[in-house]
Amino acid sequence: MTSTVYKRILLKLSGEALMGEDSYGINRTIIERIVAEIADVSRLGVQIAVVIGGGNIFRGMTSAGDGMDRANADYMGMLATVMNGLALQDAMRRAGLVSRVQSALRIDQVVEPYIRGKAMRYLEEGKVVIFVAGTGNPFFTTDTAAALRGMEMNVDIVLKATKVDGVYTSDPKTDPRAIRYQNLSFDEAISQNLKVMDATALTLCRDQKLPLNVFSIFKAGALKRVVMGEDEGTLVRV
């Protein structure tokens, strides 16, 4: 078996990643491509946990800005992540991956509740664990949920899958002179407001010395290269 740098990872997938170029919802071709990347890494023996966002269906902060009660809006966003988690599980089943969905909100007829011990056992058995409903609390993002679950699962690294292949000095879509950071410290990411993750998530990772890699899930083989320790994306650490 090919040797990997990381044995247990947490992959943070945004809801927007599931849309592809669509304006809403889940693009089947995209979700199958993402699952294929996850399957490649799983076959290397890497234990994989996933935290999924819900922005392709509902964004709590946007709706709160439009006048909706923020707590209600956030709960609706959490339910959107449950829908994405079920879609991801179904795509994994079709790809031959065994997965379990655990929710921070109790919806027992649909998914099982988050129980740390069971999640750890599933990972040890080689199952992919998909965490949905964020932290179960309003006012916290799924980025923060990723940092929290990463620490609870004792992962080696949190991998944030985005549409851009790392963190840049400026927006690479508009600035041809933008340079990708190969390495960053958490303090640099926070002080320069680089939008790597929200400040709460970055602070959690920094305080627990949990490294973070930001990479593009749409770049073929990028996830595998990250777990192999190759120069892919931007590595953020203490």
Side-chain angles (χ1 to χ4, degrees):
M1 184 179 293
T2 307
S3 178
T4 59
V5 173
Y6 307 112
K7 303 302 181 186
R8 179 181 291 175
I9 64 172
L10 186 136
L11 176 64
K12 167 56 171 56
L13 275 175
S14 68
E16 287 88 341
L18 303 185
M19 292 192 304
E21 297 302 318
D22 297 345
S23 58
Y24 177 84
I26 299 165
N27 182 297
R28 180 168 177 172
T29 302
I30 293 296
I31 198 170
E32 287 177 350
R33 189 186 306 164
I34 290 171
V35 167
E37 297 280 334
I38 293 171
D40 278 348
V41 171
S42 179
R43 282 191 285 269
L44 296 174
V46 177
Q47 297 175 14
I48 305 169
V50 179
V51 166
I52 185 80
N56 56 320
I57 298 172
F58 187 87
R59 288 194 66 84
M61 289 184 69
T62 301
S63 296
D66 291 338
M68 181 180 285
D69 177 79
R70 172 65 191 271
N72 280 341
D74 282 354
Y75 281 123
M76 292 173 70
M78 290 179 219
L79 294 176
T81 72
V82 177
M83 296 168 69
N84 282 339
L86 290 172
L88 194 60
Q89 182 183 44
D90 185 71
M92 287 183 178
R93 176 187 58 79
R94 285 186 271 114
L97 279 177
V98 180
S99 62
R100 295 289 184 269
V101 182
Q102 288 199 347
S103 172
L105 294 177
R106 295 296 295 257
I107 320 175
D108 295 2
Q109 292 94 332
V110 182
V111 293
E112 64 182 77
Y114 169 64
I115 299 173
R116 180 176 181 265
K118 287 182 72 173
M120 296 279 278
R121 188 173 76 245
Y122 289 149
L123 290 173
E124 290 162 0
E125 291 170 351
K127 298 179 175 72
V128 178
V129 182
I130 304 165
F131 296 116
V132 299
T135 66
N137 301 288
F139 306 103
F140 290 94
T141 67
T142 50
D143 277 354
T144 299
L148 178 63
R149 295 289 182 252
M151 291 182 287
E152 289 180 305
M153 293 299 106
N154 298 328
V155 302
D156 299 318
I157 191 168
V158 172
L159 307 179
K160 181 167 182 180
T162 68
K163 294 183 177 182
V164 184
D165 63 338
V167 182
Y168 282 76
T169 52
S170 57
D171 188 346
K173 293 180 180 177
T174 58
D175 184 359
R177 295 173 298 176
I179 299 171
R180 175 177 65 90
Y181 290 103
Q182 185 176 359
N183 293 281
L184 271 175
S185 72
F186 284 109
D187 287 337
E188 287 172 333
I190 294 168
S191 64
Q192 296 178 41
N193 196 28
L194 291 174
K195 308 295 185 186
V196 178
M197 293 177 100
D198 70 70
T200 304
L202 286 174
T203 302
L204 280 170
C205 289
R206 180 193 65 187
D207 292 350
Q208 298 301 317
K209 297 180 173 58
L210 178 60
L212 165 72
N213 189 294
V214 182
F215 73 105
S216 172
I217 194 65
F218 298 109
K219 191 175 176 182
L223 177 58
K224 185 175 181 179
R225 287 192 291 276
V226 170
V227 300
M228 298 296 292
E230 297 179 23
D231 177 21
E232 186 67 53
T234 298
L235 181 62
V236 188
R237 54 188 169 187
V238 176

Short mmCIF file of all heavy atoms in Angstrom, two decimals, residues 179-236:
data_model
loop_
_atom_site.label_atom_id
_atom_site.label_comp_id
_atom_site.label_asym_id
_atom_site.label_seq_id
_atom_site.Cartn_x
_atom_site.Cartn_y
_atom_site.Cartn_z
N ILE A 179 -0.24 35.43 -6.03
CA ILE A 179 0.69 34.33 -5.75
C ILE A 179 0.08 33.43 -4.68
O ILE A 179 -0.46 33.89 -3.68
CB ILE A 179 2.05 34.88 -5.26
CG1 ILE A 179 2.68 35.76 -6.34
CG2 ILE A 179 2.99 33.73 -4.88
CD1 ILE A 179 3.91 36.51 -5.87
N ARG A 180 0.18 32.11 -4.92
CA ARG A 180 -0.34 31.15 -3.94
C ARG A 180 0.63 31.00 -2.78
O ARG A 180 1.83 30.85 -2.97
CB ARG A 180 -0.56 29.78 -4.60
CG ARG A 180 -0.98 28.68 -3.61
CD ARG A 180 -1.27 27.36 -4.32
NE ARG A 180 -0.09 26.77 -4.93
CZ ARG A 180 0.75 25.92 -4.31
NH1 ARG A 180 0.53 25.57 -3.05
NH2 ARG A 180 1.79 25.44 -4.94
N TYR A 181 0.09 31.07 -1.57
CA TYR A 181 0.88 30.77 -0.39
C TYR A 181 1.07 29.26 -0.31
O TYR A 181 0.11 28.50 -0.34
CB TYR A 181 0.18 31.23 0.89
CG TYR A 181 0.08 32.73 1.09
CD1 TYR A 181 -1.12 33.40 0.86
CD2 TYR A 181 1.17 33.46 1.55
CE1 TYR A 181 -1.23 34.77 1.07
CE2 TYR A 181 1.07 34.83 1.76
CZ TYR A 181 -0.14 35.47 1.52
OH TYR A 181 -0.24 36.83 1.73
N GLN A 182 2.32 28.81 -0.17
CA GLN A 182 2.57 27.39 0.04
C GLN A 182 2.34 27.04 1.50
O GLN A 182 1.76 26.00 1.82
CB GLN A 182 4.00 27.03 -0.36
CG GLN A 182 4.30 25.55 -0.28
CD GLN A 182 5.70 25.23 -0.80
OE1 GLN A 182 6.45 26.11 -1.23
NE2 GLN A 182 6.07 23.96 -0.75
N ASN A 183 2.77 27.95 2.39
CA ASN A 183 2.59 27.77 3.83
C ASN A 183 2.15 29.08 4.45
O ASN A 183 2.53 30.16 4.00
CB ASN A 183 3.90 27.32 4.49
CG ASN A 183 4.33 25.94 4.07
OD1 ASN A 183 3.82 24.95 4.56
ND2 ASN A 183 5.28 25.87 3.15
N LEU A 184 1.36 28.98 5.50
CA LEU A 184 0.90 30.14 6.27
C LEU A 184 0.83 29.74 7.73
O LEU A 184 0.63 28.57 8.06
CB LEU A 184 -0.51 30.56 5.83
CG LEU A 184 -0.71 31.55 4.69
CD1 LEU A 184 -2.21 31.68 4.42
CD2 LEU A 184 -0.12 32.91 5.02
N SER A 185 0.96 30.72 8.61
CA SER A 185 0.67 30.45 10.02
C SER A 185 -0.77 30.86 10.29
O SER A 185 -1.35 31.67 9.56
CB SER A 185 1.62 31.24 10.93
OG SER A 185 1.29 32.62 10.91
N PHE A 186 -1.35 30.29 11.33
CA PHE A 186 -2.72 30.68 11.70
C PHE A 186 -2.79 32.16 12.04
O PHE A 186 -3.75 32.85 11.67
CB PHE A 186 -3.20 29.84 12.89
CG PHE A 186 -3.59 28.45 12.51
CD1 PHE A 186 -2.81 27.37 12.89
CD2 PHE A 186 -4.74 28.20 11.77
CE1 PHE A 186 -3.17 26.08 12.55
CE2 PHE A 186 -5.11 26.92 11.41
CZ PHE A 186 -4.32 25.85 11.80
N ASP A 187 -1.76 32.66 12.72
CA ASP A 187 -1.76 34.08 13.09
C ASP A 187 -1.75 34.97 11.86
O ASP A 187 -2.42 36.01 11.82
CB ASP A 187 -0.56 34.39 14.00
CG ASP A 187 -0.73 33.84 15.41
OD1 ASP A 187 -1.90 33.61 15.82
OD2 ASP A 187 0.29 33.63 16.09
N GLU A 188 -0.98 34.58 10.83
CA GLU A 188 -0.96 35.35 9.58
C GLU A 188 -2.33 35.34 8.90
O GLU A 188 -2.82 36.36 8.42
CB GLU A 188 0.09 34.77 8.63
CG GLU A 188 1.52 35.07 9.03
CD GLU A 188 2.54 34.31 8.20
OE1 GLU A 188 2.21 33.22 7.67
OE2 GLU A 188 3.67 34.81 8.07
N ALA A 189 -2.95 34.15 8.87
CA ALA A 189 -4.26 34.03 8.23
C ALA A 189 -5.30 34.88 8.94
O ALA A 189 -6.15 35.52 8.30
CB ALA A 189 -4.70 32.57 8.21
N ILE A 190 -5.23 34.92 10.28
CA ILE A 190 -6.20 35.70 11.06
C ILE A 190 -5.93 37.19 10.93
O ILE A 190 -6.83 37.98 10.64
CB ILE A 190 -6.16 35.27 12.55
CG1 ILE A 190 -6.65 33.82 12.70
CG2 ILE A 190 -7.03 36.20 13.41
CD1 ILE A 190 -6.40 33.21 14.06
N SER A 191 -4.67 37.60 11.11
CA SER A 191 -4.34 39.03 11.12
C SER A 191 -4.53 39.66 9.74
O SER A 191 -4.92 40.82 9.62
CB SER A 191 -2.90 39.25 11.60
OG SER A 191 -1.97 38.67 10.70
N GLN A 192 -4.29 38.89 8.67
CA GLN A 192 -4.44 39.42 7.32
C GLN A 192 -5.85 39.21 6.76
O GLN A 192 -6.12 39.58 5.62
CB GLN A 192 -3.41 38.77 6.39
CG GLN A 192 -1.97 39.09 6.75
CD GLN A 192 -0.97 38.39 5.85
OE1 GLN A 192 -1.16 38.29 4.64
NE2 GLN A 192 0.11 37.90 6.42
N ASN A 193 -6.72 38.60 7.59
CA ASN A 193 -8.11 38.38 7.19
C ASN A 193 -8.19 37.72 5.82
O ASN A 193 -8.90 38.19 4.90
CB ASN A 193 -8.88 39.72 7.19
CG ASN A 193 -10.39 39.52 7.16
OD1 ASN A 193 -10.90 38.51 7.62
ND2 ASN A 193 -11.09 40.49 6.60
N LEU A 194 -7.49 36.60 5.66
CA LEU A 194 -7.35 35.96 4.36
C LEU A 194 -8.53 35.08 3.96
O LEU A 194 -8.51 34.45 2.91
CB LEU A 194 -6.06 35.13 4.33
CG LEU A 194 -4.76 35.94 4.35
CD1 LEU A 194 -3.55 35.03 4.48
CD2 LEU A 194 -4.65 36.81 3.11
N LYS A 195 -9.57 35.03 4.78
CA LYS A 195 -10.79 34.29 4.46
C LYS A 195 -10.52 32.80 4.24
O LYS A 195 -11.17 32.15 3.41
CB LYS A 195 -11.47 34.87 3.21
CG LYS A 195 -11.73 36.37 3.27
CD LYS A 195 -12.72 36.75 4.33
CE LYS A 195 -13.05 38.24 4.30
NZ LYS A 195 -13.91 38.67 5.41
N VAL A 196 -9.54 32.27 4.95
CA VAL A 196 -9.25 30.84 4.86
C VAL A 196 -10.42 30.05 5.44
O VAL A 196 -10.98 29.16 4.80
CB VAL A 196 -7.95 30.50 5.62
CG1 VAL A 196 -7.67 29.02 5.58
CG2 VAL A 196 -6.77 31.28 5.05
N MET A 197 -10.76 30.37 6.67
CA MET A 197 -11.96 29.87 7.35
C MET A 197 -12.39 31.03 8.24
O MET A 197 -11.68 32.04 8.34
CB MET A 197 -11.66 28.64 8.20
CG MET A 197 -11.27 27.39 7.45
SD MET A 197 -10.85 26.01 8.55
CE MET A 197 -12.37 25.06 8.51
N ASP A 198 -13.52 30.89 8.92
CA ASP A 198 -13.88 31.98 9.82
C ASP A 198 -12.95 32.00 11.03
O ASP A 198 -12.27 31.02 11.34
CB ASP A 198 -15.35 31.89 10.23
CG ASP A 198 -15.64 30.74 11.17
OD1 ASP A 198 -15.20 30.79 12.33
OD2 ASP A 198 -16.31 29.79 10.74
N ALA A 199 -12.90 33.13 11.70
CA ALA A 199 -11.91 33.35 12.77
C ALA A 199 -12.06 32.35 13.91
O ALA A 199 -11.06 31.92 14.49
CB ALA A 199 -12.02 34.78 13.30
N THR A 200 -13.29 31.97 14.23
CA THR A 200 -13.50 31.00 15.32
C THR A 200 -12.86 29.67 14.98
O THR A 200 -12.18 29.05 15.81
CB THR A 200 -15.01 30.80 15.58
OG1 THR A 200 -15.61 32.07 15.84
CG2 THR A 200 -15.25 29.88 16.76
N ALA A 201 -13.07 29.20 13.74
CA ALA A 201 -12.49 27.93 13.31
C ALA A 201 -10.97 27.99 13.31
O ALA A 201 -10.29 27.06 13.76
CB ALA A 201 -13.01 27.57 11.92
N LEU A 202 -10.42 29.09 12.79
CA LEU A 202 -8.96 29.23 12.76
C LEU A 202 -8.36 29.24 14.16
O LEU A 202 -7.32 28.63 14.42
CB LEU A 202 -8.58 30.52 12.03
CG LEU A 202 -8.73 30.53 10.51
CD1 LEU A 202 -8.48 31.92 9.95
CD2 LEU A 202 -7.79 29.52 9.86
N THR A 203 -9.04 29.94 15.07
CA THR A 203 -8.55 30.01 16.45
C THR A 203 -8.58 28.64 17.11
O THR A 203 -7.63 28.26 17.82
CB THR A 203 -9.38 31.01 17.26
OG1 THR A 203 -9.32 32.29 16.62
CG2 THR A 203 -8.85 31.15 18.68
N LEU A 204 -9.65 27.88 16.88
CA LEU A 204 -9.74 26.53 17.44
C LEU A 204 -8.60 25.66 16.93
O LEU A 204 -7.94 24.97 17.72
CB LEU A 204 -11.08 25.90 17.07
CG LEU A 204 -12.31 26.28 17.89
CD1 LEU A 204 -13.58 25.75 17.23
CD2 LEU A 204 -12.20 25.75 19.31
N CYS A 205 -8.37 25.68 15.62
CA CYS A 205 -7.29 24.88 15.04
C CYS A 205 -5.93 25.32 15.57
O CYS A 205 -5.07 24.49 15.90
CB CYS A 205 -7.31 24.97 13.52
SG CYS A 205 -8.69 24.13 12.73
N ARG A 206 -5.74 26.64 15.67
CA ARG A 206 -4.46 27.15 16.16
C ARG A 206 -4.21 26.71 17.60
O ARG A 206 -3.11 26.21 17.92
CB ARG A 206 -4.46 28.68 16.09
CG ARG A 206 -3.15 29.32 16.58
CD ARG A 206 -3.31 30.81 16.79
NE ARG A 206 -4.26 31.10 17.87
CZ ARG A 206 -4.69 32.33 18.17
NH1 ARG A 206 -4.28 33.36 17.47
NH2 ARG A 206 -5.53 32.50 19.17
N ASP A 207 -5.22 26.86 18.44
CA ASP A 207 -5.03 26.55 19.87
C ASP A 207 -4.78 25.06 20.11
O ASP A 207 -4.10 24.69 21.06
CB ASP A 207 -6.25 27.01 20.67
CG ASP A 207 -6.36 28.54 20.71
OD1 ASP A 207 -5.40 29.21 20.29
OD2 ASP A 207 -7.41 29.04 21.16
N GLN A 208 -5.33 24.22 19.23
CA GLN A 208 -5.14 22.77 19.38
C GLN A 208 -4.02 22.24 18.48
O GLN A 208 -3.81 21.03 18.39
CB GLN A 208 -6.45 22.03 19.06
CG GLN A 208 -7.59 22.40 20.00
CD GLN A 208 -7.28 22.09 21.45
OE1 GLN A 208 -6.72 21.03 21.76
NE2 GLN A 208 -7.62 23.01 22.35
N LYS A 209 -3.34 23.18 17.78
CA LYS A 209 -2.23 22.81 16.89
C LYS A 209 -2.67 21.78 15.83
O LYS A 209 -1.95 20.83 15.52
CB LYS A 209 -1.03 22.30 17.68
CG LYS A 209 -0.43 23.36 18.61
CD LYS A 209 0.76 22.81 19.38
CE LYS A 209 1.48 23.90 20.17
NZ LYS A 209 0.61 24.61 21.12
N LEU A 210 -3.89 21.99 15.31
CA LEU A 210 -4.44 21.11 14.28
C LEU A 210 -4.22 21.76 12.92
O LEU A 210 -4.82 22.78 12.61
CB LEU A 210 -5.93 20.89 14.53
CG LEU A 210 -6.70 20.03 13.52
CD1 LEU A 210 -6.11 18.63 13.44
CD2 LEU A 210 -8.18 19.98 13.89
N PRO A 211 -3.34 21.20 12.08
CA PRO A 211 -3.05 21.84 10.79
C PRO A 211 -4.24 21.82 9.85
O PRO A 211 -5.16 21.00 9.98
CB PRO A 211 -1.88 21.01 10.24
CG PRO A 211 -1.95 19.71 10.95
CD PRO A 211 -2.53 19.99 12.30
N LEU A 212 -4.19 22.72 8.88
CA LEU A 212 -5.27 22.91 7.92
C LEU A 212 -4.66 23.05 6.53
O LEU A 212 -3.64 23.71 6.36
CB LEU A 212 -6.04 24.19 8.30
CG LEU A 212 -6.99 24.81 7.27
CD1 LEU A 212 -8.23 23.96 7.12
CD2 LEU A 212 -7.37 26.23 7.71
N ASN A 213 -5.29 22.40 5.56
CA ASN A 213 -4.86 22.59 4.17
C ASN A 213 -6.04 23.03 3.34
O ASN A 213 -7.12 22.42 3.40
CB ASN A 213 -4.27 21.29 3.59
CG ASN A 213 -3.62 21.51 2.23
OD1 ASN A 213 -4.28 21.82 1.25
ND2 ASN A 213 -2.31 21.33 2.16
N VAL A 214 -5.85 24.11 2.58
CA VAL A 214 -6.89 24.63 1.70
C VAL A 214 -6.51 24.27 0.27
O VAL A 214 -5.43 24.62 -0.20
CB VAL A 214 -7.02 26.17 1.83
CG1 VAL A 214 -8.14 26.69 0.95
CG2 VAL A 214 -7.26 26.56 3.29
N PHE A 215 -7.40 23.55 -0.43
CA PHE A 215 -7.07 23.07 -1.77
C PHE A 215 -8.34 23.05 -2.63
O PHE A 215 -9.45 23.24 -2.13
CB PHE A 215 -6.47 21.67 -1.71
CG PHE A 215 -7.47 20.59 -1.39
CD1 PHE A 215 -7.92 19.73 -2.37
CD2 PHE A 215 -8.00 20.45 -0.11
CE1 PHE A 215 -8.86 18.75 -2.10
CE2 PHE A 215 -8.94 19.48 0.18
CZ PHE A 215 -9.37 18.62 -0.83
N SER A 216 -8.18 22.79 -3.91
CA SER A 216 -9.32 22.73 -4.82
C SER A 216 -9.81 21.30 -4.99
O SER A 216 -9.05 20.42 -5.43
CB SER A 216 -8.96 23.30 -6.20
OG SER A 216 -10.02 23.06 -7.11
N ILE A 217 -11.08 21.07 -4.67
CA ILE A 217 -11.66 19.74 -4.85
C ILE A 217 -11.93 19.46 -6.32
O ILE A 217 -12.15 18.32 -6.73
CB ILE A 217 -12.96 19.60 -4.02
CG1 ILE A 217 -13.41 18.14 -3.91
CG2 ILE A 217 -14.07 20.48 -4.60
CD1 ILE A 217 -12.47 17.23 -3.16
N PHE A 218 -11.88 20.51 -7.15
CA PHE A 218 -12.15 20.35 -8.58
C PHE A 218 -10.89 20.05 -9.39
O PHE A 218 -10.96 19.84 -10.60
CB PHE A 218 -12.85 21.60 -9.14
CG PHE A 218 -14.18 21.84 -8.50
CD1 PHE A 218 -14.36 22.90 -7.62
CD2 PHE A 218 -15.25 21.00 -8.74
CE1 PHE A 218 -15.58 23.12 -7.02
CE2 PHE A 218 -16.48 21.20 -8.14
CZ PHE A 218 -16.65 22.27 -7.28
N LYS A 219 -9.75 20.05 -8.73
CA LYS A 219 -8.49 19.74 -9.40
C LYS A 219 -8.25 18.24 -9.27
O LYS A 219 -8.11 17.72 -8.15
CB LYS A 219 -7.36 20.54 -8.74
CG LYS A 219 -6.04 20.52 -9.47
CD LYS A 219 -5.07 21.46 -8.77
CE LYS A 219 -3.69 21.41 -9.39
NZ LYS A 219 -2.74 22.29 -8.66
N ALA A 220 -8.25 17.54 -10.37
CA ALA A 220 -8.17 16.08 -10.36
C ALA A 220 -6.95 15.59 -9.57
O ALA A 220 -5.83 16.04 -9.80
CB ALA A 220 -8.12 15.54 -11.79
N GLY A 221 -7.20 14.69 -8.62
CA GLY A 221 -6.12 14.09 -7.84
C GLY A 221 -5.57 14.95 -6.72
O GLY A 221 -4.65 14.53 -6.01
N ALA A 222 -6.13 16.15 -6.53
CA ALA A 222 -5.57 17.08 -5.53
C ALA A 222 -5.70 16.52 -4.12
O ALA A 222 -4.77 16.62 -3.31
CB ALA A 222 -6.25 18.45 -5.63
N LEU A 223 -6.85 15.94 -3.79
CA LEU A 223 -7.06 15.39 -2.45
C LEU A 223 -6.03 14.30 -2.16
O LEU A 223 -5.43 14.26 -1.08
CB LEU A 223 -8.48 14.83 -2.32
CG LEU A 223 -8.84 14.16 -0.99
CD1 LEU A 223 -8.66 15.10 0.18
CD2 LEU A 223 -10.27 13.62 -1.03
N LYS A 224 -5.79 13.45 -3.12
CA LYS A 224 -4.80 12.37 -2.95
C LYS A 224 -3.41 12.94 -2.77
O LYS A 224 -2.63 12.47 -1.92
CB LYS A 224 -4.84 11.43 -4.16
CG LYS A 224 -3.95 10.21 -4.03
CD LYS A 224 -4.15 9.29 -5.22
CE LYS A 224 -3.29 8.04 -5.11
NZ LYS A 224 -3.51 7.12 -6.26
N ARG A 225 -3.07 13.99 -3.54
CA ARG A 225 -1.74 14.59 -3.41
C ARG A 225 -1.56 15.23 -2.03
O ARG A 225 -0.46 15.20 -1.47
CB ARG A 225 -1.51 15.61 -4.52
CG ARG A 225 -1.29 14.98 -5.89
CD ARG A 225 -0.78 15.99 -6.91
NE ARG A 225 -1.78 16.98 -7.26
CZ ARG A 225 -2.72 16.80 -8.18
NH1 ARG A 225 -2.79 15.66 -8.84
NH2 ARG A 225 -3.58 17.76 -8.45
N VAL A 226 -2.63 15.81 -1.49
CA VAL A 226 -2.54 16.40 -0.15
C VAL A 226 -2.20 15.33 0.88
O VAL A 226 -1.29 15.51 1.71
CB VAL A 226 -3.84 17.13 0.23
CG1 VAL A 226 -3.80 17.54 1.70
CG2 VAL A 226 -4.04 18.37 -0.63
N VAL A 227 -2.92 14.21 0.86
CA VAL A 227 -2.68 13.18 1.89
C VAL A 227 -1.34 12.48 1.68
O VAL A 227 -0.80 11.86 2.61
CB VAL A 227 -3.83 12.15 1.94
CG1 VAL A 227 -5.14 12.82 2.28
CG2 VAL A 227 -3.94 11.34 0.67
N MET A 228 -0.79 12.60 0.47
CA MET A 228 0.54 12.04 0.21
C MET A 228 1.64 13.01 0.64
O MET A 228 2.83 12.68 0.56
CB MET A 228 0.70 11.70 -1.28
CG MET A 228 -0.27 10.65 -1.80
SD MET A 228 -0.05 9.03 -1.04
CE MET A 228 1.52 8.58 -1.71
N GLY A 229 1.25 14.23 1.05
CA GLY A 229 2.24 15.19 1.53
C GLY A 229 2.89 16.01 0.43
O GLY A 229 3.91 16.66 0.66
N GLU A 230 2.30 16.01 -0.76
CA GLU A 230 2.86 16.78 -1.87
C GLU A 230 2.47 18.25 -1.77
O GLU A 230 1.61 18.63 -0.98
CB GLU A 230 2.40 16.18 -3.21
CG GLU A 230 2.88 14.75 -3.42
CD GLU A 230 2.39 14.14 -4.73
OE1 GLU A 230 2.07 14.92 -5.66
OE2 GLU A 230 2.31 12.91 -4.83
N ASP A 231 3.14 19.08 -2.57
CA ASP A 231 2.88 20.52 -2.55
C ASP A 231 1.57 20.80 -3.28
O ASP A 231 1.54 21.03 -4.48
CB ASP A 231 4.03 21.28 -3.21
CG ASP A 231 3.77 22.78 -3.28
OD1 ASP A 231 2.93 23.27 -2.51
OD2 ASP A 231 4.40 23.45 -4.13
N GLU A 232 0.48 20.74 -2.55
CA GLU A 232 -0.84 20.98 -3.11
C GLU A 232 -1.61 21.89 -2.16
O GLU A 232 -1.68 21.65 -0.96
CB GLU A 232 -1.60 19.65 -3.29
CG GLU A 232 -2.93 19.78 -3.99
CD GLU A 232 -2.79 20.18 -5.45
OE1 GLU A 232 -2.04 19.53 -6.19
OE2 GLU A 232 -3.42 21.20 -5.83
N GLY A 233 -2.18 22.96 -2.70
CA GLY A 233 -2.94 23.88 -1.87
C GLY A 233 -2.04 24.71 -0.96
O GLY A 233 -0.85 24.91 -1.22
N THR A 234 -2.63 25.18 0.13
CA THR A 234 -1.90 25.99 1.11
C THR A 234 -2.00 25.33 2.48
O THR A 234 -3.12 25.06 2.96
CB THR A 234 -2.48 27.41 1.20
OG1 THR A 234 -2.34 28.05 -0.07
CG2 THR A 234 -1.76 28.24 2.27
N LEU A 235 -0.86 25.06 3.09
CA LEU A 235 -0.82 24.44 4.41
C LEU A 235 -0.76 25.54 5.48
O LEU A 235 0.13 26.39 5.45
CB LEU A 235 0.39 23.53 4.53
CG LEU A 235 0.56 22.78 5.85
CD1 LEU A 235 -0.62 21.84 6.11
CD2 LEU A 235 1.87 22.00 5.86
N VAL A 236 -1.73 25.51 6.38
CA VAL A 236 -1.79 26.48 7.47
C VAL A 236 -1.51 25.73 8.78
O VAL A 236 -2.17 24.74 9.08
CB VAL A 236 -3.17 27.17 7.55
CG1 VAL A 236 -3.14 28.31 8.56
CG2 VAL A 236 -3.59 27.69 6.18
#
